[in-house]
Amino acid sequence: MAWFRKERKPRVPRRERLEIPPDAWEKCEACGHTDIREKFARNLNVCPECDYHRRIRAVEYVNILLDENWEETEEDLKSADPLGFPEYSARLKKAQTNAGDTDAILTATGAVGGLPVNLGVMDFAFMGGSMGSVVGEKIARAGQRSLERKQPFLIVSASGGARMQEGVLSLMQMAKASAILSQLAERRIPYVSILTNPTTGGVSASYAMLGDAILAEPGAVIGFAGPRVIKQTLGQDLPEGFQTAEFLVEHGMLDAVVHRRDLKATVGQLLRHMTGKPAAALTAP
């Protein structure tokens, strides 16, 4: 009586296999910890295992530091090729396409905890955050806006130094940016400099180190020349941790090393202390 016997069918698992796309995972450059990209993003791109501060884009720093409804300024300024440097025009177009920015700095107006400020953020993704004529011009215009409105000025630096393709024109931006900062100092308008990894070359030799308060992210490499060049010049071994934010704060070159999640609160507290005015008073026109 075969129809009374229950045939055993092979069991098929009901749960479908979860397919995770390969680009959903990211790996920490410092410790090798691998995790989903969303977890890194929720942690402001700081490794949850070793606390390594990974590089982020300029617009991400703007969103971290400023309140909502900030506005970008001078977004149409683009670098030219004044010296006719070989393949420079092509490299600029490629950088603009890949980075999605017009140059290596983003400037904006907004507020930090209700305090109106002007902000410039360098983007290492655009030709290594190199400082050319547009970078200097944007800083000068943002600084001038701070002068006219009597608002604090912030710069977040991330740079490999001056842009060699513009020669002396890029070096002139050091003096140009420093001049506007000296005017802010004369009028006692606060300027806060925030250094990220890396901050080197002509940027570190000018506006990055001229802040009334100089902050840095943990582990940021800060210096002018690289350690190999310095070692060859001095002819001796360098101390452990040389050119890191922690080493520099111990030797009085920085005011504080601040975790990325605490940047906005720290900057807001600094600005209120520097101006001596409550947030409500500074938001008034």
Side-chain angles (χ1 to χ4, degrees):
M1 303 285 295
W3 56 85
F4 286 113
R5 289 198 297 268
K6 186 176 181 181
E7 294 185 10
R8 298 195 176 203
K9 297 181 180 180
R11 297 185 64 181
V12 178
R14 295 182 180 180
R15 182 182 298 177
E16 295 182 3
R17 185 175 179 182
L18 181 63
E19 295 291 340
I20 301 177
D23 61 353
W25 298 91
E26 288 195 357
K27 185 177 181 180
C28 173
E29 300 90 334
C31 70
H33 172 71
T34 302
D35 217 322
I36 57 173
R37 176 178 296 176
E38 185 181 347
K39 188 171 182 180
F40 277 112
R42 287 198 307 266
N43 206 37
L44 302 180
N45 243 330
V46 176
C47 177
E49 285 293 314
C50 69
D51 214 37
Y52 175 70
H53 283 51
R54 308 170 77 213
R55 286 194 194 122
I56 59 176
R57 301 297 305 276
V59 69
E60 294 178 88
Y61 275 113
V62 177
N63 288 325
I64 287 172
L65 286 166
L66 298 186
D67 303 341
E68 294 181 359
N69 302 320
W70 56 270
E71 295 182 7
E72 185 176 356
T73 60
E74 289 84 44
E75 63 268 31
D76 297 328
L77 286 182
K78 295 182 180 180
S79 289
D81 185 13
L83 304 182
F85 196 92
E87 300 182 2
Y88 182 40
S89 295
R91 286 198 63 189
L92 281 174
K93 291 179 181 178
K94 184 178 179 180
Q96 289 163 0
T97 301
N98 294 343
D101 296 327
T102 56
D103 214 280
I105 191 169
L106 185 157
T107 52
T109 60
V112 178
L115 310 178
V117 300
N118 293 285
L119 171 67
V121 184
M122 303 195 72
D123 198 334
F124 198 82
F126 192 103
M127 297 184 70
S130 52
M131 176 184 61
S133 300
V134 166
V135 170
E137 181 63 19
K138 281 193 171 188
I139 289 175
R141 293 190 188 188
Q144 184 63 37
R145 194 158 42 246
S146 283
L147 281 171
E148 294 171 355
R149 301 180 181 180
K150 298 181 180 179
Q151 296 173 347
F153 189 26
L154 315 175
I155 296 181
V156 180
S157 297
S159 177
R163 191 174 299 173
M164 60 171 286
Q165 292 89 343
E166 295 185 25
V168 72
L169 297 176
S170 66
L171 297 177
M172 290 169 61
Q173 307 311 310
M174 298 169 62
K176 185 176 185 177
S178 300
I180 196 71
L181 296 179
S182 69
Q183 294 181 53
L184 289 172
E186 288 174 3
R187 301 189 188 182
R188 299 183 180 276
I189 298 173
Y191 163 52
V192 177
S193 179
I194 303 169
L195 314 184
T196 69
N197 185 41
T199 299
T200 58
V203 171
S204 68
S206 56
Y207 54 86
M209 302 302 289
L210 293 177
D212 298 308
I214 305 176
L215 311 177
E217 288 190 336
V221 174
I222 302 161
F224 181 69
R228 180 176 57 85
V229 174
I230 296 174
K231 182 177 179 179
Q232 290 176 349
T233 303
L234 298 178
Q236 61 184 28
D237 293 332
L238 302 175
E240 185 178 351
F242 181 70
Q243 289 188 323
T244 62
E246 290 75 10
F247 183 91
L248 294 180
V249 78
E250 288 179 5
H251 291 77
M253 295 293 290
L254 306 177
D255 292 300
V257 176
V258 182
H259 197 282
R260 189 173 289 165
R261 65 170 173 264
D262 299 323
L263 270 179
K264 182 173 183 177
T266 302
V267 170
Q269 186 177 9
L270 269 173
L271 294 181
R272 284 189 289 272
H273 177 74
M274 289 175 169
T275 57
K277 298 178 183 179
L282 289 180
T283 52

